Amino acid sequence: MATLLLAAAGSAVGGLFGSTAAILGQAAGALAGNLIDRALFGARGTTEVGRLADLDVQTSAEGAAIPRVFGRVRIAGQVIWATRFEEESRSESVGGKGGGAKVKTFSYYANFAVGLSEGPIAHVGRVWANGKLLDLDRVAMHVHLGDEAQEPDSLILARQGESPAYRGLAYVVFERLPLDAFGNALPQLSFEVIRPVGRLERMIRAVTLIPGATEFGYATTEVTAEPWRGAVAAENRHAATAATDVGAALDELFALAPNLESVAVVVTWFGDDLRAGHCTLRPKVERDDKTTRPWSWSVAGLTRTSAGVVSAVASAPAFGGTPDDTSVVQLIEALKARGVAVTFYPFVMMDVPAGNDLPDPWGGNGQPVYPWRGRITCTPAPGRPGSPDGSAAAEAEIAALVGTAAVADHTVSGGRVTYSGPAEWTLRRMVLHYAHLCLAAGGVESFLVGSELVGLTRVRGAGRSYPFVAALRALAADVKAVLGTGTAVGYAADWS
């Protein structure tokens, strides 16, 4: 009321001095009146925001058929149990000094169960709410696969005092799902349901986990990058079903292959030359100018700025980077926690880009683009004119690739491996680093000292010896000394 009266009075007084003064007087009077109105009527008033008049939840149709699914399908399901919405309120004062008005904001949470399909199923993957992916890492969703021995849900049992187990029915239960993002109503939900129907999945006993070249893809902790100041980009979380990509992958893997016993973890270093006497093996990154949180990339004592950078194809990295040491330890620990045996698999990729002018030991013009590691050999290759195969010179080339890094050059402390040996990037440096990193992770069941290096195992030294084979045997003995007699140590020969 004061706003209207003083606005009129201000306009009248200002009108004595012209039309412009009348407008200014009206504005000044309105402002003063507003302050008076708030003092008289707003100081003890409370405004309620977002409160529902009805706390009931949506219902489902009685008599709806229970679907039977095969393979991977997306279904909506039926609400089979729910409580009334839980209401929470939060009050805050508004208006600044001299104010005192309060705003009470209401938030709502839903507890409900959705029947999905006839069980048993293997896995519930993605969930969509109103057509958008629901971040399952930020909600509490209990999954019941629908076997004939499943027990009642703990939330339903706590709320009801007793509950059916819904045996034979696959269903999920949401606990305190926040509804503010859905207009304080239950969203329309749909679920990715996976049910293998063949015998193959149950026969799988071992898998190899790749890509092997991924800076933080093996981390079980979410890692983010800062592409520019103030921006945040996910490094290892692109799936909404788990906290990290590897977590989502393992969840689905173990659901689809319930009899899995062993997982081989592939971790890559990069070779740069097919000539054994010139080839180095070292960790690399995708970029040397990236900032990550909560920790920075580090492998074998190298940081992002001191490691090499993989070559590029069309301005994009040709490979992912070498997995960060911390992420490797996290993955090994996660696999062991799931009760499977771990095989550690150090892997060599050849980062030899197009346009290189490196002599080809096999006789080409420049080395092939990103060649197979099985083509690393002496120069020239065995069988070619001038090859040192069968001589001490071939032994020297093999020795340069293998290196001299020793077990005593490595120290394990706090999940990290410290190296104090000769400044070399060789096969022994790579393999012994990972043997000690596996030790830091609590050990592994088996360890490979190499794979598919057929171009090296065929090189002969003086007296028809095979120097690379002898070097692998010595390296395997050193790895065994690090990891103990309980770890099987071997070499993965080329399938051909």
Side-chain angles (χ1 to χ4, degrees):
M1 181 64 73
T3 302
L4 296 176
L5 292 175
L6 291 184
S11 177
V13 173
L16 299 176
F17 303 97
S19 59
T20 301
I23 295 173
L24 294 175
Q26 182 179 17
L31 177 60
N34 179 262
L35 294 175
I36 294 173
D37 283 343
R38 289 178 60 187
L40 292 175
F41 306 111
R44 290 176 295 277
T46 299
T47 303
E48 294 185 345
V49 177
R51 189 171 195 181
L52 297 180
D54 184 2
L55 298 186
D56 289 337
V57 301
Q58 70 181 55
T59 59
S60 293
E62 288 191 29
I66 299 175
R68 177 182 295 173
V69 303
F70 300 92
R72 184 188 301 260
V73 298
R74 179 172 172 175
I75 59 178
Q78 297 280 329
V79 175
I80 59 173
W81 172 84
T83 65
R84 297 185 61 178
F85 289 168
E86 294 183 17
E87 180 183 87
E88 289 185 356
S89 62
R90 183 183 70 257
S91 297
E92 57 184 346
S93 298
V94 297
K97 290 185 177 181
K102 290 185 178 180
V103 173
K104 181 179 286 189
T105 303
F106 291 85
S107 299
Y108 293 91
Y109 301 86
N111 302 298
F112 61 101
V114 180
L116 301 177
S117 69
E118 179 182 293
I121 62 173
H123 186 58
V124 175
R126 293 168 293 178
V127 177
W128 292 265
N130 292 343
K132 296 182 179 179
L133 279 173
L134 186 63
D135 189 343
L136 298 182
D137 191 49
R138 290 168 169 76
V139 301
M141 185 180 77
H142 313 170
V143 178
H144 300 271
L145 299 178
D147 60 44
E148 293 298 334
Q150 71 185 9
E151 296 297 323
D153 181 79
S154 58
L155 176 65
I156 300 178
L157 200 60
R159 292 303 184 97
Q160 302 290 131
E162 57 183 6
S163 169
Y166 298 108
R167 289 173 179 159
L169 175 69
Y171 71 103
V172 298
V173 178
F174 287 93
E175 183 173 353
R176 286 181 57 81
L177 177 69
L179 299 178
D180 53 337
F182 313 113
N184 286 334
L186 278 190
Q188 296 299 315
L189 296 168
S190 57
F191 303 82
E192 180 184 43
V193 176
I194 303 171
R195 182 189 182 196
V197 294
R199 293 180 296 171
L200 175 62
E201 292 85 356
R202 288 184 288 274
M203 295 170 63
I204 296 172
R205 297 293 184 269
V207 298
T208 298
L209 190 63
I210 54 176
T214 167
E215 290 182 3
F216 295 103
Y218 289 161
T220 58
T221 299
E222 184 176 1
V223 178
T224 59
E226 186 179 352
W228 57 86
R229 187 178 295 275
V232 177
E235 280 286 300
N236 65 333
R237 186 169 194 253
H238 303 89
T241 57
T244 62
D245 293 334
V246 75
L250 293 180
D251 286 345
E252 189 162 330
L253 170 63
F254 283 90
L256 295 179
N259 297 317
L260 190 67
E261 297 173 355
S262 177
V263 175
V265 177
V266 178
V267 178
T268 296
W269 281 22
F270 297 90
D272 55 8
D273 201 315
L274 290 178
R275 298 171 297 166
H278 296 80
C279 182
T280 64
L281 305 176
R282 63 171 59 231
K284 291 188 176 182
V285 294
E286 298 170 14
R287 290 172 44 191
D288 59 5
D289 60 348
K290 184 162 59 177
T291 301
T292 57
R293 303 283 187 274
W295 71 82
S296 299
W297 182 94
S298 177
V299 174
L302 294 179
T303 64
R304 184 173 295 279
T305 55
S306 62
V309 178
V310 296
S311 60
V313 175
S315 301
F319 304 93
T322 299
D324 164 76
D325 278 351
T326 299
S327 70
V328 172
V329 171
Q330 287 189 346
L331 176 57
I332 293 173
E333 292 175 341
L335 289 170
K336 292 170 73 69
R338 290 175 183 258
V340 295
V342 177
T343 295
F344 196 85
Y345 193 167
F347 198 72
V348 175
M349 290 185 180
M350 298 304 295
D351 189 11
V352 179
N356 73 84
D357 57 0
L358 300 172
D360 185 357
W362 300 93
N365 294 321
Q367 294 186 11
V369 178
Y370 305 122
W372 176 44
R373 61 197 166 277
R375 294 182 66 83
I376 305 173
T377 188
C378 60
T379 306
R384 300 198 61 81
S387 174
D389 186 36
S391 71
E395 294 179 12
E397 290 194 39
I398 297 297
L401 174 69
V402 172
T404 60
V407 171
D409 297 330
H410 298 79
T411 304
V412 176
S413 178
R416 289 283 182 178
V417 178
T418 303
Y419 177 74
S420 58
E424 61 179 43
W425 294 104
T426 60
L427 180 66
R428 288 188 63 88
R429 175 80 187 269
M430 176 179 72
V431 171
L432 290 177
H433 168 74
Y434 283 120
H436 286 84
L437 195 66
C438 289
L439 184 65
V444 293
E445 281 66 34
S446 51
F447 189 103
L448 301 179
V449 295
S451 63
E452 300 180 12
L453 297 170
V454 62
L456 293 167
T457 56
R458 291 176 178 173
V459 173
R460 294 170 298 175
R464 301 185 63 83
S465 63
Y466 289 89
F468 190 67
V469 174
L472 288 176
R473 290 169 63 107
L475 185 53
D478 284 345
V479 171
K480 193 83 166 179
V482 173
L483 294 176
T485 57
T487 299
V489 180
Y491 169 80
D494 173 43
W495 64 270
S496 61

